[in-house]
Structures are given as structure tokens and as C-alpha cells.
Amino acid sequence: MTSHKNDGPKLPVQQLAILAIARFAEPLALTSVFPYLPEMIASFGVEKNEVARWAGLTGAIFSISQSCTAVAWGRASDKFGRKPIILIGLLSTMICFLVWGMSTSLPMAITARAIMGSGNGNVGIIRTMVAEMVPERVLQPKAFSLMPLVWSIGSVFGPAFGGFFAQPAKQFPNVFGNIEFFKTYPFALPNIMACCVFFISFMTGLLFLKETLESKRNKRDWGLELGEKLTRPFHRSKRTKNLRRRSFVDSEASAPLLAQSTMSSSSLNLESKHSDPVSMKDIFAPQTSINLICYTFLALHSVAYDQVLPVFLNYPRVIPDEHNTSLPFKFTGGFGLSSDKIGTIYTVYGISCGVIQFFLFPKLCAKFGVLGIYRFATVVFPIIYFLTPYTVLVQDTTARYIFFLTIMLVKGFVVIVAFPCTTILLTNSATSLRILGTLNGVATTFSGLGRAAGPAAAGAVFSWGVQRGYVIAAWWFLGLIALMGTIPPWFIIEGDGPTASSTATSTSTSDGEEESLLQRDDDDDSSVDGYDEVAVLEALEGEESESETEPGKERKKRTTNGSYGTMNNGTAS
């Protein structure tokens, strides 16, 4: 056990990987919409100059709905557990994507997006689970970069098959041309494929994801038991030699490895603490409020950029002349690309973001600090937005695409480091672990307002601008917003994290016990069902020897020396 301590904290790789699989379907499905969204809106009879406005509103209604329910989902996860709420969100989104893909009118599409947003609060809840899995600050850059990395990977596949499989009867007439379903619903196929991925994510979470909410962690989980039963033949035999595994039919085996009386009494105290109502004063502390403002600005302009960009790429090419161009501000036109080519561009963008996230982000955070990296990113954003529309002025095709892809890659770099940075800063500004679920629900609400206002406003400004010959209007609008967003980060003071203040009135001993409750299994060989085998066996042997020598002290020993996962004088190993 001593050597285990000296190894230092480790990431709970297995559970983070399972959480990543559960998360993967959402970015894949959401980004698959980008390449064909302009064509889908146009298929509803919307005029070309109005496509940007309605595309923005379609994205905005999703974010508005998500904002309205984010806090409720966060509170529900604090009460009922993280896992069931995540599974509900996955199932709801899967159903809504089928409806979205078969939309035949603009009102139907908007309604589907509204229900989709209101039925999913997973963004904040997954962030909370990562914070509860990894309370150690030294591991947070890697842990919090995982979900943006998953988003990047989803962004690689999503636009690719979204653009490739949209309108299959038109793109592949020899295969799908005689299928009436795909003629009636030309955008159904990419969403059907996305639903298959949603089903895999749902089943992975149901069978293998462990609950992280303290008050629900020791509750019986039928999904985990089923997953264990299904995977038992693949486990190495030595894992079942020392400890009995849970079974559907064996009530003794389904009981905890340590009897309830051996559990630390602090577990019960923590459960009651988690049930205390969270006040607005706890949520909106000064530093937390500043971080929420930063997060809102970031979501507003970065998501608006991603929503308007496909419309810009799909907009017809216009050759500059003396009638439609008066530099430096008046000019118009786009790239005139179809959905499959837009999908290819987004695939390159997603691959680049994934490489940046995986290889560069942790090293940059270690060298320059999370706050320093975030401040740098906020300064770069407005420069990118101001330069984007000028790519259409380059007449040479190769040079135009090089210019545009360079800007996109720089934008990908700053956005892929900015989001995990602001997530880490927000988490470390929390005053207590017990408010994380609600805090991330509030953060989802604020960011949702930004993600609603940004695309809606940018889409409207884009339509207004192209009607008057000013394609720069939307991009400069976002650039001005990004400029305002550079101010709040300079008032941020990096916090010590919620683990340092999780129980303001508790003693140092109970603090140590509470932090031990957040530890996770580092690998399959050292744990079974969340309990450390060596620690449990040592504890049981200690109790047996003690009961032989000092039977009168057995009860006292049991109630003061037990803890979740490990036992070593009440502290985590």
C-alpha cells in the first residue's frame, strides 16, 4: 500500500474511457448537421439570402431549450445521480435525431431541435463527473482535455458522413435512387447512422459507467451487474480467486465487500451534506461569476462562427468587380461548395483539433498555466474572425484554400484549448464539491444563452450583410464580441479547486476521508467493482486478529477505520 501511495495520483483511465464512449455520439451527431444544414433549410423553400438567418435560428432554438432545462438536469443529477440523467439525455437525443432527419418543413425541424435541446443536459453533467473522478489539480489538464478531444474525434467523423450520406438518392442514384424513403426524406440517412452510434453510447454507459455522485455511489446498479455478467467470461480467472463477485441470484455475493457497519460513518454525513440545498450565494461567488461570463462569451462567438461558416462556404462565388466591391469593407460572395466538400473541410478541421488536444494542450498548460493559455486564446479569436471573410478575395483556388485552411486551423487551435481551460478555471472556482452538479448546470444555461444568441444574431447579420453586399458583416460582428470577451479573463484569479473547500466546517480528518471517497480504480488488476482487493483483505484480516485479542474494541474499530475503496487508518491509499 505504501508503494501505491508513492506512485502518486493516477487518472481513472477505464472510467474516463467509458465516459468518453458515452459522450462520443453527441459531437458526432451534432457536427454531422453542419455540411447539409444550408441545403436542408433551402429544401424547405427558404430563399438563398435568408438561409443563414434560419440556419442560425435553428441552432439557437436548440441552445435556448437546453438553457431552459440545464439547471433542472443539473439538480436532478445531484439528487438522482449522474449516470441515470446521462442515459436519459442520450436516449432523448437519439429519438429526436430521427425526427430531425425526417423533417419535411421548417416548423417541424425547429420543433425537433427544441425538444432535442430541452431533453439533454449532458454537457454540464459529464463535466461534473470528470471533476468528481479527478479531483487532483495536477491531473486536471489531461482529464478535462479528454472530452474536448472526444468532441474533436466526433468532429472528424460527423461532418464526413453527414456530408457524404446526405441526399443519398441524389448522390448515389445507383444504390439509393429507387428507394422512395430516401427521396421523401433526403437527410434521414446520416441521422439514422448517428442513432446507431447513440445506441452504442447508451449501452456502454448503461453497462459499464459507474456512478460518481457520493450519495448514490454505493447503491445497487443493475446495469453494472448486467455488464459484469456479460463480460465475466472474458475476465482473467485470477480476479475471482480472492473476492466473490456480484450475482443476480446470489444475495450474499451482491452485498458490498465490506459490511455496512464497516463503512466510514463519514459516508452518511457526506450524503446528508450533499442533500443540503444549494444557495445562489454558493453558485454565484465573485470568481465563479467571472468564469461564467467568460464561458458565455466563448460559447457565444465560437459556436456562432461554426454555425455561420457552412452557410458562408455554401454561398455562391461572386467575382469581385467595380460594381460589387469597394475595399476594404464592401464585397460579397462565398466559396460555393456542396455539402460533401464542406464535410471534407470539417474533417480536416476535426483531425487537426484532435492532434492539438492530445499532444499539445497538456504540455502548454504545464509550461504556461491554464489561465495564461486561456488569456492568449481570447486575444487570438477576434483576429481570426476579422480575417475570415477576406479569404474569398483570393482568386487563385489553391491560394484561397490555403489561406482559409490556415485560418481554420488557428481557430481550431485556440478553441480546442480555450474550452478545457475555462472548464478547469470554472471548476476550480467552485466553493464546494456538493455544488458542482448545479454549477455546471448553471454554466450550461449561461453558455446555452450564448450559443443561442450567437448563431441567431450572426445568421441575421449575415443575411442582412449579403443583401447589401457586405459579407464581412457577420464576421466583424463576431470579432467585436470576441474583443469584448478578452476583458473578463484578466480579472480571473485561479482557484485551488473545490476539493480544498468541499466542507468548510469539517475537520482535517473528515476532509481526508471525503477526498478518499473521490479516488478511482487505476486499473483492472488492482480493483474489483470499485474496491481495492489488497486493502479489503488487509482490513478483514485486521478485524479477525483484533476480534481474537480485543473483542470489546471490534465495533469501535469497524466504525472508525472504514472507507470506500481502501482502508489505511481512515485515509485513501
Side-chain angles (χ1 to χ4, degrees):
M1 296 177 69
T2 303
S3 61
H4 185 69
K5 280 185 178 181
N6 294 336
D7 291 339
K10 296 180 180 179
L11 285 173
V13 178
Q14 185 182 39
Q15 281 299 297
L16 284 174
I18 293 170
L19 190 62
I21 295 172
R23 172 69 170 144
F24 178 72
E26 294 183 48
L28 182 141
L30 291 173
T31 57
S32 69
V33 173
F34 290 163
Y36 65 78
L37 183 60
E39 294 179 351
M40 186 179 188
I41 298 297
S43 70
F44 298 147
V46 178
E47 294 182 4
K48 195 68 177 179
N49 288 342
E50 295 293 322
V51 166
R53 175 180 290 129
W54 286 106
L57 288 175
T58 302
I61 196 66
F62 174 89
S63 300
I64 291 173
S65 301
Q66 195 173 55
S67 299
C68 292
T69 59
V71 175
W73 285 121
R75 289 187 180 274
S77 75
D78 285 338
K79 183 175 182 180
F80 301 107
R82 318 298 186 201
K83 178 176 177 176
I85 304 303
I86 285 178
L87 295 179
I88 291 172
L90 287 173
L91 186 62
S92 171
T93 307
M94 180 176 67
I95 296 172
C96 289
F97 258 104
L98 282 176
V99 178
W100 161 263
M102 292 187 288
S103 297
T104 56
S105 65
L106 191 59
M108 182 178 178
I110 291 176
T111 302
R113 293 286 287 179
I115 298 174
M116 189 187 304
S118 62
N120 190 328
N122 286 0
V123 175
I125 299 171
I126 287 177
R127 190 182 302 123
T128 301
M129 291 192 76
V130 174
E132 290 171 333
M133 288 179 182
V134 188
E136 301 88 354
R137 291 188 64 190
V138 67
L139 298 177
Q140 284 182 342
K142 286 187 177 180
F144 280 102
S145 68
L146 177 62
M147 294 307 143
L149 175 61
V150 172
W151 182 276
S152 298
I153 296 173
S155 299
V156 172
F157 295 98
F161 79 74
F164 187 76
F165 291 107
Q167 305 183 85
K170 179 180 177 181
Q171 292 198 65
F172 311 103
N174 294 333
V175 180
F176 300 101
N178 296 325
I179 302 177
E180 193 63 32
F181 177 82
F182 291 118
K183 292 181 180 179
T184 307
Y185 308 109
F187 304 101
L189 184 58
N191 292 281
I192 292 173
M193 296 179 66
C195 287
C196 295
V197 182
F198 266 106
F199 181 76
I200 294 173
S201 295
F202 177 85
M203 294 305 300
T204 301
L206 176 67
L207 298 177
F208 305 112
L209 184 62
K210 295 179 181 179
E211 180 60 64
T212 61
L213 181 64
E214 186 56 51
S215 61
K216 301 294 182 181
R217 187 176 292 153
N218 295 322
K219 303 294 184 181
R220 188 173 189 180
D221 189 326
W222 289 96
L224 284 178
E225 292 183 4
L226 177 59
E228 178 189 331
K229 187 177 180 70
L230 293 174
T231 58
R232 187 175 298 165
F234 304 99
H235 291 167
R236 287 173 291 183
S237 59
K238 72 175 186 177
R239 292 187 61 188
T240 59
K241 289 181 179 179
N242 295 327
L243 294 173
R244 300 184 66 188
R245 305 300 299 271
R246 294 186 178 186
S247 169
F248 282 119
V249 297
D250 190 341
S251 60
E252 182 179 353
S254 66
L257 292 174
L258 293 180
Q260 196 67 27
S261 60
T262 68
M263 296 295 181
S264 171
S265 60
S266 64
S267 303
L268 300 177
N269 294 335
L270 283 171
E271 184 168 349
S272 63
K273 288 174 184 175
H274 279 279
S275 63
D276 292 340
V278 177
S279 67
M280 289 297 103
K281 184 178 180 181
D282 294 329
I283 300 292
F284 295 102
Q287 281 300 307
T288 303
S289 300
I290 295 174
N291 277 282
L292 287 172
I293 293 172
C294 292
Y295 190 49
T296 303
F297 267 106
L298 178 61
L300 191 154
H301 60 70
S302 65
V303 174
Y305 183 95
D306 291 337
Q307 293 260 353
V308 175
L309 188 61
V311 181
F312 176 62
L313 295 175
N314 179 254
Y315 198 80
R317 284 278 298 154
V318 175
I319 304 300
D321 57 35
E322 65 276 7
H323 300 293
N324 57 36
T325 303
S326 179
L327 296 178
F329 300 118
K330 185 177 181 180
F331 58 94
T332 189
F335 279 68
L337 301 180
S338 60
S339 59
D340 58 328
K341 293 181 180 178
I342 295 175
T344 301
I345 290 176
Y346 269 92
T347 299
V348 174
Y349 176 69
I351 292 174
S352 304
C353 289
V355 171
I356 293 167
Q357 187 71 58
F358 189 76
F359 292 104
L360 295 181
F361 176 69
K363 295 180 180 179
L364 289 173
C365 284
K367 185 172 183 179
F368 300 105
V370 173
L371 184 56
I373 294 296
Y374 179 63
R375 286 172 174 169
F376 169 78
T378 59
V379 174
V380 176
F381 277 117
I383 300 174
I384 295 169
Y385 299 160
F386 288 137
L387 289 178
T388 296
Y390 291 95
T391 56
V392 299
L393 294 177
V394 180
Q395 297 305 303
D396 181 75
T397 303
T398 302
R400 183 167 65 252
Y401 280 104
I402 291 175
F403 185 21
F404 173 75
L405 287 175
T406 301
I407 290 177
M408 272 201 80
L409 292 179
V410 175
K411 195 265 182 181
F413 172 81
V414 292
V415 78
I416 211 67
V417 300
F419 271 108
C421 281
T422 191
T423 298
I424 293 171
L425 292 170
L426 178 63
T427 300
N428 288 338
S429 71
T431 57
S432 170
L433 280 170
R434 69 187 180 89
I435 72 169
L436 274 181
T438 304
L439 174 60
N440 281 311
V442 172
T444 303
T445 296
F446 273 71
S447 68
L449 293 174
R451 287 183 286 113
V461 174
F462 186 91
S463 294
W464 177 89
V466 294
Q467 289 173 1
R468 291 161 177 79
Y470 291 90
V471 76
I472 71 167
W475 308 113
W476 281 55
F477 169 73
L478 293 177
L480 292 174
I481 293 175
L483 271 178
M484 291 188 290
T486 62
I487 300 173
W490 298 96
F491 295 93
I492 293 178
I493 300 174
E494 195 167 358
D496 294 327
T499 54
S501 58
S502 57
T503 52
T505 60
S506 63
T507 64
S508 60
T509 302
S510 63
D511 282 340
E513 290 176 343
E514 181 170 352
E515 290 185 17
S516 73
L517 295 174
L518 296 169
Q519 302 302 316
R520 285 292 183 275
D521 309 326
D522 293 326
D523 51 58
D524 289 343
D525 294 334
S526 64
S527 63
V528 177
D529 289 338
Y531 295 90
D532 189 297
E533 295 183 15
V534 177
V536 172
L537 290 175
E538 289 182 0
L540 293 177
E541 289 171 2
E543 288 181 2
E544 290 174 0
S545 61
E546 185 181 17
S547 63
E548 293 175 0
T549 57
E550 298 180 274
K553 294 183 180 180
E554 181 177 3
R555 175 183 291 272
K556 182 178 179 180
K557 180 73 174 178
R558 284 184 176 183
T559 57
T560 59
N561 202 35
S563 67
Y564 179 88
T566 58
M567 293 184 67
N568 183 22
N569 297 327
T571 59
S573 62

